[in-house]
């Protein structure tokens, strides 16, 4: 008997069959009990609170903007009358309203630009300082961020006071500068610049903290590769850091525009509750129309126009975020 006859023949596995033309079928998993309704169920409490807190005021705002509603209607002496789009036509036909809109846009644009530039510089600085210096800066940022708006406004009001303000005294120590008794609120541009500085001071901490968190996600390998290719500090920031931070920058810019166009307590408190015409922004202008002139319908119309403008900003933000998502 040969060796070939004594060996046990190997058992070969059955040949694999070709998959059907439609591709392999995956076993169907069991459907979860919640299904697509689970996210909405989790969001229901938040949506209910938003509907209660914002739903009724918004509906009431829209209703008032299409009515004739003044002090007589408020006290019930006369019924509210529907006037259609007359309130909007009167507001949009008023040259003072467009001056307020232009002033608000300039104020918001300046505040956002200074906030983002200063916030980015401070965030980049935090990446290059020692640990204890970073801790001190973060403590100062959180302290300024946590300060109530009314308190911060009162402090700035004292700093820029014409008679007792410390800023005038400090600046007057510079050679050729004499600002003793200078009233920063004698003109609209100077006064709004002070209020803009207050807004920027309160907004920078949030921007710095958010950008600092984003900078930790920038790969060091990419920065090192850019330096090896001959890029300087500006080149590394422009071609490596900035593209990675773009979604965060778009988000922060949009939020800053919304917040800065809605500035109210800073102007109201700084001008002792009676902002002059050259200090009026859309928020204070709407308040004056409603509660000083007692024309609640026109005040509601101005507020509704402001909401529409802010919705336009949100639409631009959503479009930019969708573009970023498509690129990624």
């Amino acid at each position: 008997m040969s060796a070939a006859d004594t060996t046990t023949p190997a058992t070969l596995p059955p040949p694999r069959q070709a998959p059907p033309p439609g591709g392999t079928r995956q076993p169907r998993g069991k459907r979860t009990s919640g299904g697509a309704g689970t996210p909405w169920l989790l969001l229901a409490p938040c949506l209910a609170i938003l509907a209660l807190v914002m739903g009724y005021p918004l509906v009431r705002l829209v209703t008032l903007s299409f009515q004739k509603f003044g002090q007589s209607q408020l006290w019930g002496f006369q019924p509210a009358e529907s006037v259609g789009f007359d309130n909007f036509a009167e507001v949009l036909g008023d040259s003072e309203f467009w001056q307020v809109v232009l002033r608000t846009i300039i104020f918001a644009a300046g505040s956002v630009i200074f906030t983002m530039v200063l916030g980015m510089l401070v965030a980049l600085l935090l990446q290059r300082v020692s640990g204890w210096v970073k801790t001190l800066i973060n403590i100062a940022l959180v302290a300024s961020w946590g300060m109530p708006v009314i308190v911060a406004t009162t402090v700035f009001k004292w700093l820029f006071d014409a008679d007792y303000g410390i800023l005038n005294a400090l600046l007057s120590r510079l050679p050729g500068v004499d600002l003793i008794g200078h009233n920063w609120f004698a003109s609209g541009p100077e006064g709004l610049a002070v209020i803009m500085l207050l807004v920027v001071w309160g907004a920078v901490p949030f921007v710095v903290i958010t950008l600092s968190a984003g900078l930790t996600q920038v790969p060091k390998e990419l920065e090192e590769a850019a330096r090896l290719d001959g890029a300087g500090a500006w080149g590394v920031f422009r071609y490596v850091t900035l593209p990675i931070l773009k979604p965060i920058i778009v988000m922060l810019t949009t939020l800053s525009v919304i917040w800065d166009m809605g500035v109210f307590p800073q102007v109201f408190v700084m001008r002792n509750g009676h902002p002059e015409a050259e200090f009026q922004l859309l928020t204070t202008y709407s308040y004056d129309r409603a509660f000083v002139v007692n024309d609640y319908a026109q005040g509601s119309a101005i507020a509704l126009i402001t909401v529409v403008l802010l919705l336009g900003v949100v639409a631009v933000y959503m479009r930019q975020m969708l573009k970023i998502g498509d690129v990624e």
Side-chain angles (χ1 to χ4, degrees):
M1 185 178 293
S2 63
D5 297 329
T6 58
T7 55
T8 306
T11 305
L12 298 176
R16 292 184 179 181
Q17 295 182 355
T24 59
R25 272 187 158 185
Q26 299 292 337
R28 292 185 178 180
K30 294 183 179 180
R31 293 186 177 181
T32 58
S33 58
T38 302
W40 293 104
L41 184 61
L42 297 174
L43 287 173
C46 180
L47 295 176
I49 293 174
L50 287 177
L52 291 174
V53 175
M54 301 182 62
Y56 174 76
L58 187 59
V59 171
R60 187 61 175 158
L61 178 72
V62 175
T63 304
L64 285 176
S65 62
F66 291 97
Q67 292 179 342
K68 178 183 179 182
F69 200 95
Q71 204 166 18
S72 300
Q73 288 78 15
L74 178 66
W75 292 104
F77 299 134
Q78 294 180 2
E81 301 177 10
S82 178
V83 294
F85 290 92
D86 290 351
N87 291 322
F88 294 96
E90 189 172 351
V91 169
L92 296 176
D94 188 2
S95 59
E96 183 181 0
F97 169 76
W98 292 109
Q99 294 176 5
V100 173
V101 171
L102 180 61
R103 188 181 302 118
T104 303
I105 293 175
I106 295 175
F107 178 86
S111 300
V112 171
I113 291 173
F114 282 114
T115 299
M116 295 302 300
V117 172
L118 185 59
M120 179 63 75
L121 292 176
V122 176
L124 292 173
L125 175 66
L126 289 177
Q127 305 298 314
R128 291 165 174 80
V129 296
S130 59
W132 68 273
V133 176
K134 182 184 297 186
T135 302
L136 290 178
I137 295 177
N138 284 326
I139 292 174
L141 290 172
V142 173
S144 62
W145 190 18
M147 183 177 294
V149 177
I150 303 301
V151 176
T153 306
T154 305
V155 171
F156 267 73
K157 189 176 179 181
W158 172 74
L159 288 174
F160 289 89
D161 186 78
D163 299 322
Y164 308 103
I166 190 174
L167 186 67
N168 287 348
L170 291 176
L171 292 177
S172 298
R173 293 178 178 272
L174 298 176
V177 179
D178 183 14
L179 291 176
I180 299 298
H182 177 71
N183 186 2
W184 292 90
F185 298 96
S187 66
E190 282 190 6
L192 286 176
V194 174
I195 299 174
M196 184 186 299
L197 181 62
L198 170 61
V199 172
V200 171
W201 180 82
V204 161
F206 175 73
V207 174
V208 172
I209 293 173
T210 307
L211 289 177
S212 297
L215 286 171
T216 60
Q217 305 302 314
V218 178
K220 301 300 180 183
E221 298 81 4
L222 293 180
E223 294 181 347
E224 186 64 27
R227 293 190 185 95
L228 292 176
D229 288 341
W234 170 249
V236 173
F237 175 77
R238 180 180 178 183
Y239 296 108
V240 177
T241 307
L242 201 58
I244 295 176
L245 292 180
K246 185 177 180 180
I248 300 177
I249 293 174
V250 172
M251 178 197 69
L252 289 175
T253 303
T254 306
L255 291 176
S256 298
V257 170
I258 294 174
W259 291 337
D260 294 344
M261 286 192 68
V263 165
F264 178 82
Q266 292 89 334
V267 181
F268 192 78
V269 175
M270 195 74 79
R271 302 312 303 142
N272 299 317
H274 302 285
E276 297 85 348
E278 52 190 356
F279 287 91
Q280 293 285 358
L281 302 179
L282 277 173
T283 51
T284 57
Y285 187 64
S286 174
Y287 176 87
D288 275 2
R289 285 289 180 177
F291 299 103
V292 177
V293 185
N294 293 322
D295 192 343
Y296 304 101
Q298 275 202 13
S300 300
I302 297 171
L304 191 60
I305 294 173
T306 306
V307 171
V308 173
L309 291 175
L310 294 179
L311 288 178
V313 176
V314 173
V316 173
Y317 164 71
M318 296 300 298
R319 182 179 179 184
Q320 291 296 324
M321 294 305 295
L322 290 175
K323 285 183 177 180
I324 294 173
D326 292 339
V327 171
E328 293 178 352

